[in-house]
Amino acid sequence: MMKGAFTDGKGKVWVDEVPMPETGDYECLCKIDACATCTGTDKKLVMGEMSWAKPEHYPALLGHESAGTILKTGKKVRYLKEGMRVLRPAAWYSGEKKHGITSYMGGFAEYGIVTDTKALKEDAPDAVYSAYCQYQQVLPDDLEITPVEATMLITLKEIYSFIRDLQMTAGKTAVVLGAGAVGTSMCFFAKLAGLKVAVAARRDAPLANCRKAGADLTVNTANTDLGDALRQWTNGAGVDYILDASGAMEMISSAVRALAENGKLCTYASGGALKENFASLTLPVRWSLVSCPPAEATAHEHLVSLVRMKVIPFELFYDEVMPLEKFPEGMKRIFDRKSMKTVFTM
Protein backbone atom coordinates (compact mmCIF):
# COMPACT_ATOMS: atom_id res chain seq x y z
CA MET A 1 0.00 0.00 0.00
CA MET A 2 1.01 3.64 -0.46
CA LYS A 3 -0.35 7.06 0.46
CA GLY A 4 -2.16 9.31 -2.00
CA ALA A 5 -4.19 12.55 -2.00
CA PHE A 6 -7.87 12.31 -2.89
CA THR A 7 -10.94 14.45 -3.49
CA ASP A 8 -14.67 13.73 -3.57
CA GLY A 9 -15.35 16.51 -6.10
CA LYS A 10 -17.47 18.32 -3.50
CA GLY A 11 -14.72 20.34 -1.84
CA LYS A 12 -13.26 17.66 0.43
CA VAL A 13 -9.65 16.47 0.18
CA TRP A 14 -7.82 13.87 2.24
CA VAL A 15 -4.78 11.58 2.35
CA ASP A 16 -5.34 7.83 2.53
CA GLU A 17 -3.79 4.52 1.55
CA VAL A 18 -4.25 3.02 -1.88
CA PRO A 19 -2.78 -0.11 -3.54
CA MET A 20 0.61 0.23 -5.19
CA PRO A 21 0.75 0.74 -8.98
CA GLU A 22 0.69 -2.36 -11.14
CA THR A 23 3.41 -2.34 -13.82
CA GLY A 24 3.45 -4.08 -17.19
CA ASP A 25 6.30 -5.26 -19.39
CA TYR A 26 6.95 -1.78 -20.83
CA GLU A 27 6.38 0.15 -17.59
CA CYS A 28 8.62 1.25 -14.75
CA LEU A 29 7.84 1.64 -11.06
CA CYS A 30 8.87 5.07 -9.77
CA LYS A 31 9.24 6.66 -6.38
CA ILE A 32 7.43 9.98 -6.71
CA ASP A 33 9.67 12.50 -4.99
CA ALA A 34 7.50 15.62 -5.22
CA CYS A 35 4.36 16.95 -6.90
CA ALA A 36 3.19 20.55 -7.23
CA THR A 37 -0.30 21.96 -7.33
CA CYS A 38 -1.73 23.32 -10.56
CA THR A 39 -4.01 25.83 -8.90
CA GLY A 40 -6.60 26.22 -11.64
CA THR A 41 -6.96 22.53 -12.52
CA ASP A 42 -6.74 21.17 -8.98
CA LYS A 43 -9.28 23.63 -7.58
CA LYS A 44 -11.76 22.80 -10.35
CA LEU A 45 -11.31 19.06 -9.77
CA VAL A 46 -11.76 19.45 -6.03
CA MET A 47 -14.99 21.38 -6.57
CA GLY A 48 -16.24 19.11 -9.38
CA GLU A 49 -16.15 22.01 -11.86
CA MET A 50 -13.95 20.54 -14.58
CA SER A 51 -16.02 19.83 -17.69
CA TRP A 52 -14.69 16.29 -18.13
CA ALA A 53 -14.92 15.39 -14.42
CA LYS A 54 -18.22 13.56 -13.83
CA PRO A 55 -19.76 12.72 -10.42
CA GLU A 56 -19.36 8.99 -11.10
CA HIS A 57 -15.58 9.46 -11.48
CA TYR A 58 -15.07 10.35 -7.83
CA PRO A 59 -13.30 9.70 -5.52
CA ALA A 60 -10.29 10.77 -7.55
CA LEU A 61 -6.54 10.75 -7.08
CA LEU A 62 -5.06 14.17 -7.87
CA GLY A 63 -1.79 15.63 -9.13
CA HIS A 64 -0.05 16.05 -12.48
CA GLU A 65 3.07 18.15 -11.81
CA SER A 66 5.11 15.25 -10.43
CA ALA A 67 8.78 14.30 -10.49
CA GLY A 68 10.20 10.95 -9.50
CA THR A 69 12.95 8.35 -9.74
CA ILE A 70 12.74 4.97 -11.47
CA LEU A 71 13.07 2.08 -9.02
CA LYS A 72 12.32 -0.95 -11.20
CA THR A 73 11.87 -1.58 -14.93
CA GLY A 74 9.60 -4.01 -16.76
CA LYS A 75 11.18 -6.92 -18.63
CA LYS A 76 10.73 -5.28 -22.07
CA VAL A 77 11.89 -1.81 -21.08
CA ARG A 78 15.03 -0.78 -22.97
CA TYR A 79 15.31 3.00 -22.97
CA LEU A 80 14.55 3.76 -19.33
CA LYS A 81 16.80 2.60 -16.50
CA GLU A 82 16.79 2.36 -12.72
CA GLY A 83 17.90 5.61 -11.12
CA MET A 84 16.69 7.85 -13.96
CA ARG A 85 14.72 10.91 -12.91
CA VAL A 86 11.48 11.45 -14.80
CA LEU A 87 8.66 13.96 -14.97
CA ARG A 88 4.96 13.15 -14.61
CA PRO A 89 4.97 9.65 -13.09
CA ALA A 90 1.37 8.72 -12.24
CA ALA A 91 -0.15 6.19 -9.84
CA TRP A 92 -2.10 5.06 -12.88
CA TYR A 93 -2.94 6.89 -16.05
CA SER A 94 -5.40 9.75 -16.21
CA GLY A 95 -9.02 8.71 -16.60
CA GLU A 96 -8.40 5.09 -15.59
CA LYS A 97 -10.41 3.76 -12.67
CA LYS A 98 -8.85 1.19 -10.36
CA HIS A 99 -9.83 0.08 -6.87
CA GLY A 100 -12.92 2.28 -7.24
CA ILE A 101 -10.73 5.39 -7.66
CA THR A 102 -10.28 7.48 -10.81
CA SER A 103 -6.83 8.86 -11.54
CA TYR A 104 -6.87 12.51 -12.47
CA MET A 105 -3.20 12.24 -13.40
CA GLY A 106 -2.42 10.66 -10.02
CA GLY A 107 0.83 12.43 -9.16
CA PHE A 108 0.02 13.09 -5.50
CA ALA A 109 1.06 9.59 -4.47
CA GLU A 110 4.16 7.93 -3.09
CA TYR A 111 4.68 5.71 -6.14
CA GLY A 112 3.81 5.84 -9.83
CA ILE A 113 4.53 4.46 -13.27
CA VAL A 114 6.13 5.67 -16.49
CA THR A 115 6.06 3.87 -19.84
CA ASP A 116 8.91 3.15 -22.24
CA THR A 117 6.88 4.22 -25.28
CA LYS A 118 9.90 4.04 -27.60
CA ALA A 119 10.40 0.34 -26.91
CA LEU A 120 6.65 -0.30 -27.05
CA LYS A 121 6.29 1.39 -30.46
CA GLU A 122 9.27 -0.54 -31.84
CA ASP A 123 7.83 -3.88 -30.74
CA ALA A 124 4.16 -3.18 -31.41
CA PRO A 125 3.62 -0.21 -33.78
CA ASP A 126 -0.17 -0.46 -33.42
CA ALA A 127 -0.15 -0.60 -29.62
CA VAL A 128 -2.47 1.81 -27.84
CA TYR A 129 -1.16 3.64 -24.79
CA SER A 130 -2.14 6.69 -22.77
CA ALA A 131 -1.61 10.10 -24.39
CA TYR A 132 -0.28 11.14 -20.98
CA CYS A 133 2.93 9.21 -21.70
CA GLN A 134 4.19 11.98 -24.01
CA TYR A 135 4.77 14.15 -20.93
CA GLN A 136 6.84 11.53 -19.09
CA GLN A 137 10.22 12.92 -20.04
CA VAL A 138 13.64 12.11 -18.62
CA LEU A 139 15.85 14.57 -16.75
CA PRO A 140 19.54 14.16 -17.67
CA ASP A 141 21.72 12.58 -14.97
CA ASP A 142 23.99 15.61 -14.75
CA LEU A 143 21.19 18.18 -14.39
CA GLU A 144 21.65 20.06 -11.12
CA ILE A 145 18.06 20.34 -9.99
CA THR A 146 16.16 19.34 -6.84
CA PRO A 147 12.89 17.35 -6.94
CA VAL A 148 10.98 20.48 -5.88
CA GLU A 149 12.56 22.48 -8.72
CA ALA A 150 11.89 19.64 -11.16
CA THR A 151 8.14 19.92 -10.57
CA MET A 152 8.29 23.55 -11.72
CA LEU A 153 9.50 22.46 -15.16
CA ILE A 154 6.02 21.24 -16.05
CA THR A 155 4.36 24.65 -15.81
CA LEU A 156 7.46 26.34 -17.21
CA LYS A 157 7.48 24.08 -20.29
CA GLU A 158 3.79 24.76 -20.89
CA ILE A 159 4.22 28.53 -20.66
CA TYR A 160 7.48 28.66 -22.60
CA SER A 161 5.79 26.79 -25.47
CA PHE A 162 2.84 29.22 -25.30
CA ILE A 163 5.13 32.27 -25.52
CA ARG A 164 7.32 30.63 -28.19
CA ASP A 165 4.42 29.71 -30.44
CA LEU A 166 2.91 33.21 -30.28
CA GLN A 167 6.07 34.39 -32.10
CA MET A 168 5.98 37.77 -30.39
CA THR A 169 8.28 40.52 -31.62
CA ALA A 170 11.06 41.83 -29.40
CA GLY A 171 10.56 45.47 -28.45
CA LYS A 172 6.76 45.21 -28.46
CA THR A 173 4.60 45.61 -25.34
CA ALA A 174 2.55 42.97 -23.54
CA VAL A 175 0.31 42.87 -20.50
CA VAL A 176 -0.08 39.66 -18.54
CA LEU A 177 -3.42 39.27 -16.78
CA GLY A 178 -2.84 37.36 -13.55
CA ALA A 179 0.15 37.02 -11.23
CA GLY A 180 -0.01 33.41 -10.10
CA ALA A 181 2.50 30.79 -11.19
CA VAL A 182 1.26 30.90 -14.79
CA GLY A 183 1.22 34.70 -14.98
CA THR A 184 4.66 34.95 -13.40
CA SER A 185 5.97 32.42 -15.92
CA MET A 186 4.43 34.37 -18.80
CA CYS A 187 6.09 37.54 -17.54
CA PHE A 188 9.46 35.79 -17.25
CA PHE A 189 9.44 34.23 -20.73
CA ALA A 190 8.03 37.34 -22.41
CA LYS A 191 10.93 39.32 -20.91
CA LEU A 192 13.39 36.69 -22.21
CA ALA A 193 11.78 37.19 -25.63
CA GLY A 194 12.64 40.89 -25.45
CA LEU A 195 9.25 42.45 -24.75
CA LYS A 196 8.30 45.26 -22.40
CA VAL A 197 5.92 43.59 -19.94
CA ALA A 198 3.19 44.82 -17.62
CA VAL A 199 1.42 42.50 -15.17
CA ALA A 200 -2.06 43.07 -13.75
CA ALA A 201 -3.55 41.40 -10.69
CA ARG A 202 -5.56 42.20 -7.58
CA ARG A 203 -2.97 41.66 -4.83
CA ASP A 204 0.32 43.40 -4.08
CA ALA A 205 2.42 40.40 -2.99
CA PRO A 206 2.13 38.42 -6.26
CA LEU A 207 2.77 41.63 -8.21
CA ALA A 208 5.95 42.22 -6.24
CA ASN A 209 7.02 38.68 -7.19
CA CYS A 210 6.39 39.48 -10.86
CA ARG A 211 8.67 42.49 -10.60
CA LYS A 212 11.40 40.04 -9.60
CA ALA A 213 10.51 38.05 -12.74
CA GLY A 214 11.18 41.15 -14.85
CA ALA A 215 7.88 43.05 -15.04
CA ASP A 216 8.40 46.64 -16.19
CA LEU A 217 5.03 47.73 -14.80
CA THR A 218 2.64 46.18 -12.28
CA VAL A 219 -0.97 47.27 -11.86
CA ASN A 220 -3.17 46.42 -8.89
CA THR A 221 -6.61 46.34 -10.49
CA ALA A 222 -8.28 46.50 -7.08
CA ASN A 223 -7.46 50.20 -6.90
CA THR A 224 -6.30 51.21 -10.41
CA ASP A 225 -8.09 51.26 -13.77
CA LEU A 226 -6.08 48.86 -15.91
CA GLY A 227 -7.04 50.34 -19.28
CA ASP A 228 -6.02 53.84 -18.18
CA ALA A 229 -2.75 52.59 -16.69
CA LEU A 230 -1.83 50.75 -19.90
CA ARG A 231 -2.67 53.74 -22.08
CA GLN A 232 -0.48 55.95 -19.94
CA TRP A 233 2.35 53.36 -19.92
CA THR A 234 2.34 53.15 -23.74
CA ASN A 235 1.87 56.91 -24.26
CA GLY A 236 -1.54 56.26 -25.78
CA ALA A 237 -0.38 53.73 -28.35
CA GLY A 238 -1.85 50.73 -26.54
CA VAL A 239 -0.34 47.33 -25.82
CA ASP A 240 0.56 44.95 -28.61
CA TYR A 241 -0.29 41.74 -26.76
CA ILE A 242 -2.71 40.80 -24.00
CA LEU A 243 -1.69 37.49 -22.41
CA ASP A 244 -4.57 36.17 -20.34
CA ALA A 245 -3.51 33.96 -17.43
CA SER A 246 -6.51 34.71 -15.21
CA GLY A 247 -9.74 34.08 -17.09
CA ALA A 248 -11.15 37.15 -15.31
CA MET A 249 -13.47 38.99 -17.69
CA GLU A 250 -13.24 42.20 -15.66
CA MET A 251 -9.52 42.41 -16.37
CA ILE A 252 -9.90 41.35 -19.99
CA SER A 253 -12.59 43.99 -20.58
CA SER A 254 -10.41 46.69 -19.07
CA ALA A 255 -7.24 45.59 -20.87
CA VAL A 256 -8.80 45.47 -24.36
CA ARG A 257 -9.64 49.17 -24.07
CA ALA A 258 -5.88 49.64 -24.31
CA LEU A 259 -5.20 47.12 -27.08
CA ALA A 260 -3.21 48.67 -29.92
CA GLU A 261 -4.37 48.66 -33.54
CA ASN A 262 -3.32 45.27 -34.96
CA GLY A 263 -2.86 44.06 -31.38
CA LYS A 264 -3.44 40.48 -30.28
CA LEU A 265 -5.60 39.11 -27.48
CA CYS A 266 -3.95 35.79 -26.60
CA THR A 267 -6.02 33.34 -24.61
CA TYR A 268 -4.65 30.81 -22.17
CA ALA A 269 -7.19 30.82 -19.34
CA SER A 270 -10.29 32.62 -20.69
CA GLY A 271 -12.17 29.75 -22.29
CA GLY A 272 -15.93 29.90 -22.01
CA ALA A 273 -15.98 33.20 -20.15
CA LEU A 274 -14.58 35.01 -23.18
CA LYS A 275 -17.11 33.41 -25.51
CA GLU A 276 -20.00 34.39 -23.26
CA ASN A 277 -18.88 38.01 -22.93
CA PHE A 278 -17.31 38.62 -26.32
CA ALA A 279 -19.97 41.04 -27.56
CA SER A 280 -19.35 43.37 -24.63
CA LEU A 281 -15.67 43.98 -25.43
CA THR A 282 -14.53 47.34 -26.79
CA LEU A 283 -11.84 46.56 -29.36
CA PRO A 284 -9.78 48.43 -31.98
CA VAL A 285 -10.74 48.22 -35.65
CA ARG A 286 -7.98 45.78 -36.51
CA TRP A 287 -7.01 43.14 -33.98
CA SER A 288 -6.53 39.38 -33.64
CA LEU A 289 -7.79 36.75 -31.23
CA VAL A 290 -5.17 34.06 -30.79
CA SER A 291 -5.72 30.69 -29.16
CA CYS A 292 -2.39 28.99 -28.56
CA PRO A 293 -2.64 25.73 -26.58
CA PRO A 294 0.59 24.85 -24.78
CA ALA A 295 2.80 22.12 -26.25
CA GLU A 296 4.66 21.09 -23.11
CA ALA A 297 6.47 18.06 -24.48
CA THR A 298 8.08 20.08 -27.30
CA ALA A 299 9.77 22.46 -24.87
CA HIS A 300 11.68 19.89 -22.82
CA GLU A 301 15.15 20.20 -24.34
CA HIS A 302 15.04 24.00 -24.30
CA LEU A 303 14.09 24.14 -20.62
CA VAL A 304 16.82 21.63 -19.78
CA SER A 305 19.27 23.98 -21.51
CA LEU A 306 18.01 26.97 -19.53
CA VAL A 307 18.43 25.01 -16.29
CA ARG A 308 22.01 24.15 -17.25
CA MET A 309 22.65 27.83 -17.92
CA LYS A 310 21.18 28.63 -14.48
CA VAL A 311 18.70 31.03 -16.09
CA ILE A 312 15.56 29.81 -14.27
CA PRO A 313 14.74 31.53 -10.94
CA PHE A 314 12.75 28.56 -9.60
CA GLU A 315 11.94 30.26 -6.30
CA LEU A 316 9.66 32.75 -8.07
CA PHE A 317 7.21 30.11 -9.27
CA TYR A 318 6.18 28.43 -5.99
CA ASP A 319 5.91 29.64 -2.43
CA GLU A 320 5.50 26.65 -0.09
CA VAL A 321 6.79 23.10 0.37
CA MET A 322 4.90 20.62 2.55
CA PRO A 323 4.88 16.87 3.18
CA LEU A 324 2.06 14.95 1.48
CA GLU A 325 0.45 14.33 4.87
CA LYS A 326 -0.40 18.04 5.00
CA PHE A 327 -2.24 18.01 1.67
CA PRO A 328 -5.59 19.13 3.17
CA GLU A 329 -3.88 22.04 4.93
CA GLY A 330 -1.98 23.00 1.78
CA MET A 331 -5.08 22.92 -0.40
CA LYS A 332 -6.95 25.08 2.11
CA ARG A 333 -4.19 27.65 1.79
CA ILE A 334 -4.56 27.50 -2.00
CA PHE A 335 -8.32 28.08 -1.75
CA ASP A 336 -7.77 30.87 0.81
CA ARG A 337 -5.28 32.47 -1.64
CA LYS A 338 -2.50 32.32 0.94
CA SER A 339 -0.37 30.30 -1.48
CA MET A 340 -0.23 30.44 -5.29
CA LYS A 341 1.56 27.11 -5.75
CA THR A 342 2.57 24.48 -3.22
CA VAL A 343 4.93 21.55 -3.70
CA PHE A 344 4.22 18.40 -1.70
CA THR A 345 7.10 16.04 -1.00
CA MET A 346 6.65 12.29 -0.53
Side-chain angles (χ1 to χ4, degrees), residues 298-341:
T298 68
H300 186 71
E301 294 303 323
H302 188 77
L303 264 293
V304 166
S305 295
L306 292 181
V307 172
R308 282 205 171 100
M309 295 166 63
K310 302 189 184 302
V311 171
I312 306 294
F314 287 105
E315 69 281 1
L316 298 185
F317 307 113
Y318 70 96
D319 42 21
E320 294 188 324
V321 179
M322 294 183 174
L324 183 62
E325 289 77 10
K326 290 190 175 182
F327 186 77
E329 176 185 336
M331 285 305 298
K332 184 178 186 304
R333 290 181 60 78
I334 293 288
F335 274 93
D336 291 343
R337 304 187 74 177
K338 293 180 179 178
S339 174
M340 69 170 179
K341 195 176 192 72

Side-chain angles (χ1 to χ4, degrees), residues 218-267:
T218 56
V219 181
N220 187 328
T221 59
N223 51 40
T224 303
D225 183 279
L226 177 58
D228 291 347
L230 293 175
R231 282 286 182 187
Q232 182 176 356
W233 182 54
T234 60
N235 296 316
V239 291
D240 299 300
Y241 303 93
I242 297 172
L243 309 178
D244 175 42
S246 72
M249 280 309 304
E250 183 180 352
M251 277 202 286
I252 293 173
S253 297
S254 185
V256 295
R257 291 193 292 106
L259 185 62
E261 287 290 328
N262 296 307
K264 295 181 179 181
L265 170 57
C266 308
T267 67

Side-chain angles (χ1 to χ4, degrees), residues 99-117:
H99 319 293
I101 300 161
T102 300
S103 173
Y104 281 149
M105 283 71 83
F108 287 125
E110 291 181 303
Y111 296 91
I113 58 173
V114 295
T115 299
D116 186 349
T117 56

Side-chain angles (χ1 to χ4, degrees), residues 29-108:
L29 177 67
C30 300
K31 174 71 176 72
I32 298 179
D33 300 311
C35 186
T37 57
C38 175
T39 300
T41 297
D42 289 333
K43 286 173 69 174
K44 287 180 180 178
L45 288 172
V46 168
M47 300 308 297
E49 296 173 351
M50 191 65 77
S51 60
W52 40 263
K54 308 302 180 185
E56 61 268 24
H57 296 167
Y58 291 94
L61 186 60
L62 296 169
H64 63 272
E65 298 193 2
S66 55
T69 306
I70 295 175
L71 298 178
K72 184 179 179 181
T73 61
K75 62 182 181 181
K76 294 186 178 180
V77 170
R78 296 191 292 277
Y79 297 104
L80 299 175
K81 301 186 182 302
E82 292 180 13
M84 280 184 170
R85 294 184 298 167
V86 290
L87 298 177
R88 298 260 210 158
W92 50 93
Y93 286 119
S94 188
E96 294 181 357
K97 194 166 189 175
K98 297 184 179 182
H99 319 293
I101 300 161
T102 300
S103 173
Y104 281 149
M105 283 71 83
F108 287 125

